[in-house]
Amino acid sequence: MGSPASTEDRSSEIYGLIGLFFLSILSLLIFRISGLEFPPVWPDEVLFYSPSLDFARNGLFRTEVLEGLVKGMETKTLWMPPVFFLLNGWVVRFWGEGLEVLRLFAAILSIASIWVFWFILKTFDYSPIARLGASLLLFTDLLFLRVGWTARMEALCLFWALLSLLVLARKARWKGQVPLNQYEAFLSGSFLGISFLSHPFGAIFGVPALLLIHQAKAWKVWMFWLGGALPILAWGIWIHPDWEIFFYQFGAQFGRKKDLFQSFSPITKIKVLLGGYESPGLRLFFYLALAYGLWVVRGEIKDKPKSAFFFSAWTVSILFFLILSTEYYYVMYLCIPLSALGGFFFERIRSRRVQFIAAILVFSNIAILVNAYKRIGFGNPEFDLKDRFYEVLGPELKGSKKMYLQAIPDPYFHIQKEYPNLKILEFIPGELPIPKEDFVQTLDSIDTFVFSDRQKRNEFVQTYLEENSSKFRKFKITAEPSTLRKVANVEAEVYRRR
């Protein structure tokens, strides 16, 4: 017969899991209500949907929406590792075509990541209430939602990385007393390698992985390195026949990162850290409250020095790579260790002062969500900006045979359905260092260009339009949602060849 203490622990664990389950269901319900309005359909999603669809239909990896714009895309997509395209291709093949399917897959992966995060915290002896509090910070984090609900690579990369850390954390808690066996090490390394092949940013999770290996006293477990190397070796074999295309496409990505790093000021980099939130001031307030709260619960931190050091080092490593990468999407990864640090507050939730700080953190997140609802229709089924935008744009495309599209929300799927014979090319990211000679002939074949206002355009495309202005009729279109609160709109410039 179990002791009263052990019975109470089991009850707390069950209640915590029930709470996590209801948070997961609530998150899915809000996701379904938001549809494709939040986040708005992003051009990146179309760029990544195209090779996934081509794999589902033809077993190939062509990005047809970049054909003639980025060399080799009409043959093989090599500017990103292939795991994301492979899995999404299978999802499209069995669940059906359309962006909604891939977004649902991403949302499920994001929720699954929070569940894995829950069990990682358990290995660090977080109480059920602390784990639930840390998970609540994730479920209410606007950036975690808006990136996790987007058909991009971040959710998939995070899922595999957290699985890798969970395998290691289960043995690290014993500090070498229960050794990490070769099979577990191989599994963890494989998950980490697959994370990297989902998105190169997965490499940053090697830092917390090495910390856990050190804590588990498992440096001699060589199968971890083999497990991590095999996926990368498979990737090398896959790209080997197309080295020239790989260096061109993948090299352009690194060239873009290098240019961004050199051109962004420290203030701009701070703005990137806050840029995924509709209310940067509130998010900054969240960070200040988190820092103050960590000082308040310094006693708990002293009681768990290794946990505090692990999540702090994890946070610093991600911050370092965020400064190098300058992409607000990647800030999603920072939410994980920060939420773990926030979980310390919920260990002392009976303290009035700690309750106040925890309430500030949750309130800040919810206030940002409410502001997003007001501004961009988050969770509002009557918010229809993308549909209204296409209602205005659609008639202007009659008779067009080939178009260049750079718009948010991206009307690609509307146009594809309405004009199946219209060739749609998506934008060249403005920072990609691609010589104009590689795509200027393609621009000559395009009869319609569409740009959302305030979007950075490729300089060569812009120069082409200016130099050939007499050949185009330029006009603007505007659309607003049909809701009473018209707090968001979209303006676009259209260039139609005469």
Side-chain angles (χ1 to χ4, degrees), residues 445-489:
S445 67
I446 296 171
D447 54 45
T448 305
F449 292 81
V450 179
F451 301 94
S452 284
D453 274 2
R454 300 180 296 275
Q455 295 297 312
K456 183 176 181 180
R457 307 177 189 180
N458 180 277
E459 60 175 319
F460 297 130
V461 175
Q462 181 63 29
T463 301
Y464 172 86
L465 292 172
E466 292 172 356
E467 292 176 349
N468 295 274
S469 58
S470 61
K471 299 179 182 179
F472 290 91
R473 179 172 62 91
K474 176 184 174 183
F475 56 95
K476 285 191 175 185
I477 58 175
T478 303
E480 294 179 333
S482 57
T483 51
L484 294 176
R485 288 181 53 85
K486 300 183 186 299
V487 293
N489 69 335

mmCIF file of all heavy atoms in Angstrom, residues 445-489:
data_model
loop_
_atom_site.group_PDB
_atom_site.id
_atom_site.type_symbol
_atom_site.label_atom_id
_atom_site.label_comp_id
_atom_site.label_asym_id
_atom_site.label_seq_id
_atom_site.Cartn_x
_atom_site.Cartn_y
_atom_site.Cartn_z
ATOM 1 N N SER A 445 9.326 37.549 -69.569
ATOM 2 C CA SER A 445 8.175 36.719 -69.937
ATOM 3 C C SER A 445 6.974 36.913 -69.023
ATOM 4 O O SER A 445 5.921 36.331 -69.251
ATOM 5 C CB SER A 445 8.583 35.244 -69.926
ATOM 6 O OG SER A 445 8.884 34.812 -68.588
ATOM 7 N N ILE A 446 7.113 37.723 -67.976
ATOM 8 C CA ILE A 446 6.042 37.931 -66.991
ATOM 9 C C ILE A 446 5.194 39.124 -67.406
ATOM 10 O O ILE A 446 5.727 40.196 -67.730
ATOM 11 C CB ILE A 446 6.636 38.148 -65.592
ATOM 12 C CG1 ILE A 446 7.371 36.880 -65.118
ATOM 13 C CG2 ILE A 446 5.553 38.529 -64.586
ATOM 14 C CD1 ILE A 446 8.166 37.061 -63.846
ATOM 15 N N ASP A 447 3.872 38.959 -67.387
ATOM 16 C CA ASP A 447 2.998 40.061 -67.792
ATOM 17 C C ASP A 447 2.315 40.753 -66.618
ATOM 18 O O ASP A 447 1.699 41.802 -66.787
ATOM 19 C CB ASP A 447 1.940 39.581 -68.797
ATOM 20 C CG ASP A 447 1.127 38.399 -68.297
ATOM 21 O OD1 ASP A 447 0.692 38.412 -67.136
ATOM 22 O OD2 ASP A 447 0.931 37.447 -69.078
ATOM 23 N N THR A 448 2.414 40.167 -65.397
ATOM 24 C CA THR A 448 1.780 40.788 -64.232
ATOM 25 C C THR A 448 2.685 40.652 -63.011
ATOM 26 O O THR A 448 3.152 39.547 -62.709
ATOM 27 C CB THR A 448 0.417 40.137 -63.913
ATOM 28 O OG1 THR A 448 -0.410 40.181 -65.071
ATOM 29 C CG2 THR A 448 -0.276 40.875 -62.767
ATOM 30 N N PHE A 449 2.936 41.765 -62.342
ATOM 31 C CA PHE A 449 3.685 41.783 -61.088
ATOM 32 C C PHE A 449 2.766 42.325 -60.000
ATOM 33 O O PHE A 449 2.093 43.339 -60.202
ATOM 34 C CB PHE A 449 4.922 42.683 -61.191
ATOM 35 C CG PHE A 449 5.994 42.182 -62.107
ATOM 36 C CD1 PHE A 449 5.891 42.377 -63.480
ATOM 37 C CD2 PHE A 449 7.113 41.540 -61.606
ATOM 38 C CE1 PHE A 449 6.884 41.929 -64.341
ATOM 39 C CE2 PHE A 449 8.115 41.094 -62.460
ATOM 40 C CZ PHE A 449 8.002 41.284 -63.827
ATOM 41 N N VAL A 450 2.752 41.658 -58.839
ATOM 42 C CA VAL A 450 1.921 42.093 -57.710
ATOM 43 C C VAL A 450 2.796 42.173 -56.463
ATOM 44 O O VAL A 450 3.465 41.199 -56.102
ATOM 45 C CB VAL A 450 0.746 41.121 -57.461
ATOM 46 C CG1 VAL A 450 -0.080 41.591 -56.262
ATOM 47 C CG2 VAL A 450 -0.136 41.019 -58.703
ATOM 48 N N PHE A 451 2.785 43.337 -55.802
ATOM 49 C CA PHE A 451 3.581 43.554 -54.596
ATOM 50 C C PHE A 451 2.706 44.158 -53.500
ATOM 51 O O PHE A 451 2.023 45.160 -53.735
ATOM 52 C CB PHE A 451 4.733 44.536 -54.855
ATOM 53 C CG PHE A 451 5.695 44.110 -55.917
ATOM 54 C CD1 PHE A 451 5.529 44.546 -57.219
ATOM 55 C CD2 PHE A 451 6.771 43.297 -55.619
ATOM 56 C CE1 PHE A 451 6.422 44.179 -58.207
ATOM 57 C CE2 PHE A 451 7.669 42.919 -56.597
ATOM 58 C CZ PHE A 451 7.494 43.362 -57.901
ATOM 59 N N SER A 452 2.754 43.576 -52.314
ATOM 60 C CA SER A 452 2.153 44.239 -51.166
ATOM 61 C C SER A 452 2.986 45.456 -50.808
ATOM 62 O O SER A 452 4.215 45.443 -50.959
ATOM 63 C CB SER A 452 2.097 43.306 -49.948
ATOM 64 O OG SER A 452 1.067 42.361 -50.098
ATOM 65 N N ASP A 453 2.315 46.492 -50.322
ATOM 66 C CA ASP A 453 3.045 47.667 -49.856
ATOM 67 C C ASP A 453 3.890 47.303 -48.643
ATOM 68 O O ASP A 453 3.565 46.388 -47.882
ATOM 69 C CB ASP A 453 2.074 48.779 -49.476
ATOM 70 C CG ASP A 453 1.699 49.625 -50.692
ATOM 71 O OD1 ASP A 453 2.178 49.302 -51.789
ATOM 72 O OD2 ASP A 453 0.933 50.585 -50.533
ATOM 73 N N ARG A 454 4.961 48.019 -48.465
ATOM 74 C CA ARG A 454 5.861 47.902 -47.313
ATOM 75 C C ARG A 454 6.608 46.562 -47.286
ATOM 76 O O ARG A 454 7.124 46.165 -46.264
ATOM 77 C CB ARG A 454 5.115 48.119 -45.986
ATOM 78 C CG ARG A 454 4.465 49.482 -45.880
ATOM 79 C CD ARG A 454 3.744 49.649 -44.565
ATOM 80 N NE ARG A 454 2.632 48.738 -44.420
ATOM 81 C CZ ARG A 454 1.419 48.983 -44.895
ATOM 82 N NH1 ARG A 454 1.161 50.092 -45.543
ATOM 83 N NH2 ARG A 454 0.435 48.109 -44.716
ATOM 84 N N GLN A 455 6.655 45.865 -48.418
ATOM 85 C CA GLN A 455 7.434 44.638 -48.509
ATOM 86 C C GLN A 455 8.742 44.917 -49.242
ATOM 87 O O GLN A 455 8.738 45.585 -50.284
ATOM 88 C CB GLN A 455 6.651 43.550 -49.257
ATOM 89 C CG GLN A 455 5.396 43.099 -48.540
ATOM 90 C CD GLN A 455 5.700 42.469 -47.209
ATOM 91 O OE1 GLN A 455 6.573 41.612 -47.093
ATOM 92 N NE2 GLN A 455 4.979 42.889 -46.185
ATOM 93 N N LYS A 456 9.848 44.431 -48.689
ATOM 94 C CA LYS A 456 11.138 44.639 -49.334
ATOM 95 C C LYS A 456 11.209 43.825 -50.617
ATOM 96 O O LYS A 456 11.003 42.614 -50.611
ATOM 97 C CB LYS A 456 12.285 44.241 -48.402
ATOM 98 C CG LYS A 456 13.651 44.501 -49.016
ATOM 99 C CD LYS A 456 14.781 44.200 -48.053
ATOM 100 C CE LYS A 456 16.132 44.490 -48.701
ATOM 101 N NZ LYS A 456 17.266 44.210 -47.807
ATOM 102 N N ARG A 457 11.509 44.500 -51.721
ATOM 103 C CA ARG A 457 11.555 43.845 -53.017
ATOM 104 C C ARG A 457 13.002 43.566 -53.422
ATOM 105 O O ARG A 457 13.921 44.265 -53.010
ATOM 106 C CB ARG A 457 10.896 44.733 -54.086
ATOM 107 C CG ARG A 457 9.492 45.189 -53.735
ATOM 108 C CD ARG A 457 8.940 46.112 -54.815
ATOM 109 N NE ARG A 457 7.681 46.728 -54.386
ATOM 110 C CZ ARG A 457 6.977 47.568 -55.126
ATOM 111 N NH1 ARG A 457 7.413 47.900 -56.334
ATOM 112 N NH2 ARG A 457 5.840 48.087 -54.672
ATOM 113 N N ASN A 458 13.146 42.559 -54.259
ATOM 114 C CA ASN A 458 14.457 42.297 -54.824
ATOM 115 C C ASN A 458 14.878 43.512 -55.645
ATOM 116 O O ASN A 458 14.119 44.014 -56.483
ATOM 117 C CB ASN A 458 14.399 41.049 -55.703
ATOM 118 C CG ASN A 458 15.729 40.728 -56.325
ATOM 119 O OD1 ASN A 458 16.097 41.290 -57.344
ATOM 120 N ND2 ASN A 458 16.450 39.803 -55.703
ATOM 121 N N GLU A 459 16.077 44.001 -55.402
ATOM 122 C CA GLU A 459 16.511 45.256 -56.022
ATOM 123 C C GLU A 459 16.562 45.166 -57.539
ATOM 124 O O GLU A 459 16.242 46.137 -58.252
ATOM 125 C CB GLU A 459 17.874 45.679 -55.475
ATOM 126 C CG GLU A 459 18.990 44.691 -55.715
ATOM 127 C CD GLU A 459 20.337 45.218 -55.250
ATOM 128 O OE1 GLU A 459 20.608 46.407 -55.484
ATOM 129 O OE2 GLU A 459 21.101 44.438 -54.648
ATOM 130 N N PHE A 460 16.911 44.008 -58.069
ATOM 131 C CA PHE A 460 17.002 43.868 -59.518
ATOM 132 C C PHE A 460 15.611 43.821 -60.155
ATOM 133 O O PHE A 460 15.418 44.336 -61.265
ATOM 134 C CB PHE A 460 17.797 42.616 -59.886
ATOM 135 C CG PHE A 460 19.229 42.659 -59.429
ATOM 136 C CD1 PHE A 460 19.790 41.609 -58.724
ATOM 137 C CD2 PHE A 460 20.017 43.767 -59.709
ATOM 138 C CE1 PHE A 460 21.106 41.657 -58.302
ATOM 139 C CE2 PHE A 460 21.340 43.827 -59.288
ATOM 140 C CZ PHE A 460 21.892 42.766 -58.592
ATOM 141 N N VAL A 461 14.660 43.198 -59.470
ATOM 142 C CA VAL A 461 13.286 43.187 -59.970
ATOM 143 C C VAL A 461 12.725 44.608 -59.982
ATOM 144 O O VAL A 461 12.087 45.037 -60.954
ATOM 145 C CB VAL A 461 12.402 42.264 -59.113
ATOM 146 C CG1 VAL A 461 10.939 42.357 -59.564
ATOM 147 C CG2 VAL A 461 12.885 40.818 -59.201
ATOM 148 N N GLN A 462 12.986 45.350 -58.907
ATOM 149 C CA GLN A 462 12.512 46.732 -58.836
ATOM 150 C C GLN A 462 13.158 47.590 -59.930
ATOM 151 O O GLN A 462 12.484 48.389 -60.591
ATOM 152 C CB GLN A 462 12.812 47.315 -57.461
ATOM 153 C CG GLN A 462 12.349 48.742 -57.265
ATOM 154 C CD GLN A 462 10.844 48.892 -57.372
ATOM 155 O OE1 GLN A 462 10.106 47.963 -57.065
ATOM 156 N NE2 GLN A 462 10.413 50.058 -57.824
ATOM 157 N N THR A 463 14.455 47.411 -60.134
ATOM 158 C CA THR A 463 15.148 48.164 -61.182
ATOM 159 C C THR A 463 14.594 47.828 -62.561
ATOM 160 O O THR A 463 14.419 48.709 -63.421
ATOM 161 C CB THR A 463 16.658 47.862 -61.135
ATOM 162 O OG1 THR A 463 17.174 48.225 -59.858
ATOM 163 C CG2 THR A 463 17.400 48.621 -62.222
ATOM 164 N N TYR A 464 14.294 46.555 -62.784
ATOM 165 C CA TYR A 464 13.717 46.126 -64.063
ATOM 166 C C TYR A 464 12.397 46.841 -64.335
ATOM 167 O O TYR A 464 12.156 47.325 -65.452
ATOM 168 C CB TYR A 464 13.515 44.612 -64.051
ATOM 169 C CG TYR A 464 12.761 44.087 -65.246
ATOM 170 C CD1 TYR A 464 13.433 43.783 -66.432
ATOM 171 C CD2 TYR A 464 11.380 43.892 -65.202
ATOM 172 C CE1 TYR A 464 12.744 43.303 -67.545
ATOM 173 C CE2 TYR A 464 10.687 43.409 -66.300
ATOM 174 C CZ TYR A 464 11.373 43.123 -67.470
ATOM 175 O OH TYR A 464 10.688 42.656 -68.568
ATOM 176 N N LEU A 465 11.550 46.922 -63.321
ATOM 177 C CA LEU A 465 10.256 47.580 -63.502
ATOM 178 C C LEU A 465 10.420 49.072 -63.748
ATOM 179 O O LEU A 465 9.676 49.667 -64.542
ATOM 180 C CB LEU A 465 9.382 47.331 -62.274
ATOM 181 C CG LEU A 465 8.924 45.884 -62.074
ATOM 182 C CD1 LEU A 465 8.226 45.728 -60.725
ATOM 183 C CD2 LEU A 465 7.990 45.454 -63.198
ATOM 184 N N GLU A 466 11.375 49.692 -63.084
ATOM 185 C CA GLU A 466 11.598 51.128 -63.280
ATOM 186 C C GLU A 466 12.150 51.414 -64.673
ATOM 187 O O GLU A 466 11.745 52.388 -65.327
ATOM 188 C CB GLU A 466 12.550 51.653 -62.203
ATOM 189 C CG GLU A 466 11.947 51.644 -60.800
ATOM 190 C CD GLU A 466 12.971 51.983 -59.729
ATOM 191 O OE1 GLU A 466 14.162 52.148 -60.083
ATOM 192 O OE2 GLU A 466 12.573 52.093 -58.549
ATOM 193 N N GLU A 467 13.079 50.567 -65.119
ATOM 194 C CA GLU A 467 13.671 50.787 -66.437
ATOM 195 C C GLU A 467 12.690 50.494 -67.568
ATOM 196 O O GLU A 467 12.847 51.015 -68.688
ATOM 197 C CB GLU A 467 14.915 49.912 -66.596
ATOM 198 C CG GLU A 467 16.070 50.321 -65.691
ATOM 199 C CD GLU A 467 17.256 49.377 -65.799
ATOM 200 O OE1 GLU A 467 17.095 48.296 -66.416
ATOM 201 O OE2 GLU A 467 18.338 49.719 -65.271
ATOM 202 N N ASN A 468 11.692 49.678 -67.298
ATOM 203 C CA ASN A 468 10.700 49.330 -68.323
ATOM 204 C C ASN A 468 9.315 49.866 -67.969
ATOM 205 O O ASN A 468 8.304 49.273 -68.339
ATOM 206 C CB ASN A 468 10.633 47.807 -68.471
ATOM 207 C CG ASN A 468 11.916 47.205 -68.997
ATOM 208 O OD1 ASN A 468 12.138 47.123 -70.202
ATOM 209 N ND2 ASN A 468 12.770 46.755 -68.081
ATOM 210 N N SER A 469 9.284 50.988 -67.274
ATOM 211 C CA SER A 469 8.008 51.530 -66.798
ATOM 212 C C SER A 469 7.025 51.827 -67.919
ATOM 213 O O SER A 469 5.799 51.712 -67.733
ATOM 214 C CB SER A 469 8.254 52.792 -65.969
ATOM 215 O OG SER A 469 8.943 53.764 -66.749
ATOM 216 N N SER A 470 7.535 52.208 -69.082
ATOM 217 C CA SER A 470 6.641 52.533 -70.193
ATOM 218 C C SER A 470 5.903 51.308 -70.732
ATOM 219 O O SER A 470 4.886 51.444 -71.417
ATOM 220 C CB SER A 470 7.439 53.180 -71.328
ATOM 221 O OG SER A 470 8.441 52.289 -71.808
ATOM 222 N N LYS A 471 6.404 50.120 -70.400
ATOM 223 C CA LYS A 471 5.779 48.885 -70.892
ATOM 224 C C LYS A 471 4.690 48.371 -69.960
ATOM 225 O O LYS A 471 4.023 47.384 -70.277
ATOM 226 C CB LYS A 471 6.845 47.803 -71.073
ATOM 227 C CG LYS A 471 7.929 48.165 -72.073
ATOM 228 C CD LYS A 471 8.962 47.055 -72.172
ATOM 229 C CE LYS A 471 10.073 47.424 -73.140
ATOM 230 N NZ LYS A 471 11.106 46.344 -73.236
ATOM 231 N N PHE A 472 4.531 49.033 -68.790
ATOM 232 C CA PHE A 472 3.582 48.531 -67.794
ATOM 233 C C PHE A 472 2.563 49.605 -67.421
ATOM 234 O O PHE A 472 2.859 50.807 -67.440
ATOM 235 C CB PHE A 472 4.316 48.090 -66.522
ATOM 236 C CG PHE A 472 5.142 46.844 -66.686
ATOM 237 C CD1 PHE A 472 6.487 46.925 -67.050
ATOM 238 C CD2 PHE A 472 4.585 45.597 -66.492
ATOM 239 C CE1 PHE A 472 7.256 45.784 -67.206
ATOM 240 C CE2 PHE A 472 5.341 44.444 -66.643
ATOM 241 C CZ PHE A 472 6.680 44.539 -66.994
ATOM 242 N N ARG A 473 1.382 49.143 -67.099
ATOM 243 C CA ARG A 473 0.359 49.990 -66.491
ATOM 244 C C ARG A 473 0.379 49.708 -64.997
ATOM 245 O O ARG A 473 0.143 48.592 -64.560
ATOM 246 C CB ARG A 473 -1.014 49.665 -67.079
ATOM 247 C CG ARG A 473 -2.159 50.478 -66.479
ATOM 248 C CD ARG A 473 -3.445 50.221 -67.250
ATOM 249 N NE ARG A 473 -3.859 48.825 -67.177
ATOM 250 C CZ ARG A 473 -4.680 48.332 -66.246
ATOM 251 N NH1 ARG A 473 -5.164 49.131 -65.296
ATOM 252 N NH2 ARG A 473 -5.014 47.061 -66.257
ATOM 253 N N LYS A 474 0.675 50.726 -64.198
ATOM 254 C CA LYS A 474 0.819 50.563 -62.758
ATOM 255 C C LYS A 474 -0.398 51.133 -62.049
ATOM 256 O O LYS A 474 -0.838 52.246 -62.341
ATOM 257 C CB LYS A 474 2.089 51.277 -62.278
ATOM 258 C CG LYS A 474 2.312 51.257 -60.779
ATOM 259 C CD LYS A 474 3.553 52.071 -60.410
ATOM 260 C CE LYS A 474 3.726 52.188 -58.907
ATOM 261 N NZ LYS A 474 4.890 53.033 -58.530
ATOM 262 N N PHE A 475 -0.941 50.374 -61.080
ATOM 263 C CA PHE A 475 -2.071 50.865 -60.294
ATOM 264 C C PHE A 475 -2.073 50.183 -58.930
ATOM 265 O O PHE A 475 -1.390 49.164 -58.724
ATOM 266 C CB PHE A 475 -3.397 50.628 -61.018
ATOM 267 C CG PHE A 475 -3.642 49.188 -61.403
ATOM 268 C CD1 PHE A 475 -4.380 48.343 -60.583
ATOM 269 C CD2 PHE A 475 -3.147 48.680 -62.600
ATOM 270 C CE1 PHE A 475 -4.617 47.027 -60.940
ATOM 271 C CE2 PHE A 475 -3.373 47.363 -62.966
ATOM 272 C CZ PHE A 475 -4.111 46.534 -62.132
ATOM 273 N N LYS A 476 -2.829 50.734 -58.003
ATOM 274 C CA LYS A 476 -2.908 50.214 -56.640
ATOM 275 C C LYS A 476 -4.286 49.619 -56.378
ATOM 276 O O LYS A 476 -5.287 50.077 -56.921
ATOM 277 C CB LYS A 476 -2.615 51.307 -55.613
ATOM 278 C CG LYS A 476 -1.157 51.689 -55.507
ATOM 279 C CD LYS A 476 -0.907 52.570 -54.290
ATOM 280 C CE LYS A 476 0.581 52.846 -54.108
ATOM 281 N NZ LYS A 476 0.862 53.600 -52.859
ATOM 282 N N ILE A 477 -4.311 48.617 -55.514
ATOM 283 C CA ILE A 477 -5.570 48.044 -55.045
ATOM 284 C C ILE A 477 -5.535 47.986 -53.516
ATOM 285 O O ILE A 477 -4.466 47.874 -52.911
ATOM 286 C CB ILE A 477 -5.827 46.636 -55.625
ATOM 287 C CG1 ILE A 477 -4.679 45.681 -55.262
ATOM 288 C CG2 ILE A 477 -6.011 46.690 -57.130
ATOM 289 C CD1 ILE A 477 -4.927 44.250 -55.696
ATOM 290 N N THR A 478 -6.703 48.076 -52.902
ATOM 291 C CA THR A 478 -6.819 48.066 -51.445
ATOM 292 C C THR A 478 -7.969 47.156 -51.041
ATOM 293 O O THR A 478 -8.997 47.111 -51.717
ATOM 294 C CB THR A 478 -7.076 49.487 -50.903
ATOM 295 O OG1 THR A 478 -6.031 50.347 -51.339
ATOM 296 C CG2 THR A 478 -7.108 49.482 -49.380
ATOM 297 N N ALA A 479 -7.784 46.446 -49.938
ATOM 298 C CA ALA A 479 -8.846 45.573 -49.420
ATOM 299 C C ALA A 479 -8.881 45.665 -47.905
ATOM 300 O O ALA A 479 -7.853 45.852 -47.254
ATOM 301 C CB ALA A 479 -8.613 44.124 -49.843
ATOM 302 N N GLU A 480 -10.088 45.563 -47.351
ATOM 303 C CA GLU A 480 -10.294 45.560 -45.909
ATOM 304 C C GLU A 480 -11.171 44.374 -45.542
ATOM 305 O O GLU A 480 -11.950 43.892 -46.356
ATOM 306 C CB GLU A 480 -10.977 46.851 -45.449
ATOM 307 C CG GLU A 480 -10.157 48.103 -45.632
ATOM 308 C CD GLU A 480 -10.907 49.339 -45.167
ATOM 309 O OE1 GLU A 480 -12.159 49.308 -45.208
ATOM 310 O OE2 GLU A 480 -10.253 50.319 -44.770
ATOM 311 N N PRO A 481 -11.060 43.879 -44.304
ATOM 312 C CA PRO A 481 -11.948 42.788 -43.882
ATOM 313 C C PRO A 481 -13.378 43.286 -43.768
ATOM 314 O O PRO A 481 -13.631 44.485 -43.647
ATOM 315 C CB PRO A 481 -11.373 42.377 -42.525
ATOM 316 C CG PRO A 481 -10.690 43.608 -42.021
ATOM 317 C CD PRO A 481 -10.138 44.302 -43.227
ATOM 318 N N SER A 482 -14.314 42.362 -43.784
ATOM 319 C CA SER A 482 -15.726 42.735 -43.714
ATOM 320 C C SER A 482 -16.203 42.917 -42.278
ATOM 321 O O SER A 482 -17.363 43.264 -42.057
ATOM 322 C CB SER A 482 -16.582 41.660 -44.402
ATOM 323 O OG SER A 482 -16.352 40.388 -43.816
ATOM 324 N N THR A 483 -15.331 42.715 -41.304
ATOM 325 C CA THR A 483 -15.711 42.908 -39.907
ATOM 326 C C THR A 483 -15.929 44.387 -39.614
ATOM 327 O O THR A 483 -15.457 45.260 -40.334
ATOM 328 C CB THR A 483 -14.606 42.375 -38.968
ATOM 329 O OG1 THR A 483 -13.351 42.930 -39.373
ATOM 330 C CG2 THR A 483 -14.522 40.868 -39.036
ATOM 331 N N LEU A 484 -16.655 44.671 -38.535
ATOM 332 C CA LEU A 484 -16.932 46.056 -38.170
ATOM 333 C C LEU A 484 -15.646 46.794 -37.819
ATOM 334 O O LEU A 484 -15.480 47.966 -38.149
ATOM 335 C CB LEU A 484 -17.908 46.102 -36.993
ATOM 336 C CG LEU A 484 -19.320 45.584 -37.284
ATOM 337 C CD1 LEU A 484 -20.161 45.600 -36.017
ATOM 338 C CD2 LEU A 484 -19.985 46.432 -38.367
ATOM 339 N N ARG A 485 -14.744 46.105 -37.108
ATOM 340 C CA ARG A 485 -13.465 46.727 -36.746
ATOM 341 C C ARG A 485 -12.472 46.529 -37.890
ATOM 342 O O ARG A 485 -11.871 45.478 -38.025
ATOM 343 C CB ARG A 485 -12.897 46.102 -35.466
ATOM 344 C CG ARG A 485 -13.639 46.492 -34.206
ATOM 345 C CD ARG A 485 -12.989 45.830 -32.991
ATOM 346 N NE ARG A 485 -11.561 46.085 -32.920
ATOM 347 C CZ ARG A 485 -11.026 47.176 -32.363
ATOM 348 N NH1 ARG A 485 -11.800 48.111 -31.858
ATOM 349 N NH2 ARG A 485 -9.714 47.324 -32.307
ATOM 350 N N LYS A 486 -12.319 47.525 -38.725
ATOM 351 C CA LYS A 486 -11.422 47.428 -39.877
ATOM 352 C C LYS A 486 -10.032 47.920 -39.460
ATOM 353 O O LYS A 486 -9.564 48.981 -39.890
ATOM 354 C CB LYS A 486 -11.981 48.227 -41.039
ATOM 355 C CG LYS A 486 -13.355 47.743 -41.486
ATOM 356 C CD LYS A 486 -13.845 48.507 -42.692
ATOM 357 C CE LYS A 486 -15.285 48.108 -43.032
ATOM 358 N NZ LYS A 486 -15.426 46.703 -43.360
ATOM 359 N N VAL A 487 -9.418 47.146 -38.575
ATOM 360 C CA VAL A 487 -8.133 47.560 -38.001
ATOM 361 C C VAL A 487 -6.958 47.054 -38.818
ATOM 362 O O VAL A 487 -5.817 47.324 -38.482
ATOM 363 C CB VAL A 487 -8.009 47.054 -36.550
ATOM 364 C CG1 VAL A 487 -9.008 47.749 -35.655
ATOM 365 C CG2 VAL A 487 -8.205 45.542 -36.493
ATOM 366 N N ALA A 488 -7.226 46.300 -39.871
ATOM 367 C CA ALA A 488 -6.157 45.800 -40.731
ATOM 368 C C ALA A 488 -6.621 45.912 -42.183
ATOM 369 O O ALA A 488 -7.807 45.775 -42.471
ATOM 370 C CB ALA A 488 -5.820 44.352 -40.391
ATOM 371 N N ASN A 489 -5.690 46.172 -43.045
ATOM 372 C CA ASN A 489 -6.008 46.194 -44.466
ATOM 373 C C ASN A 489 -4.764 45.781 -45.245
ATOM 374 O O ASN A 489 -3.700 45.580 -44.674
ATOM 375 C CB ASN A 489 -6.485 47.588 -44.901
ATOM 376 C CG ASN A 489 -5.362 48.608 -44.869
ATOM 377 O OD1 ASN A 489 -4.392 48.449 -44.133
ATOM 378 N ND2 ASN A 489 -5.483 49.658 -45.654
#
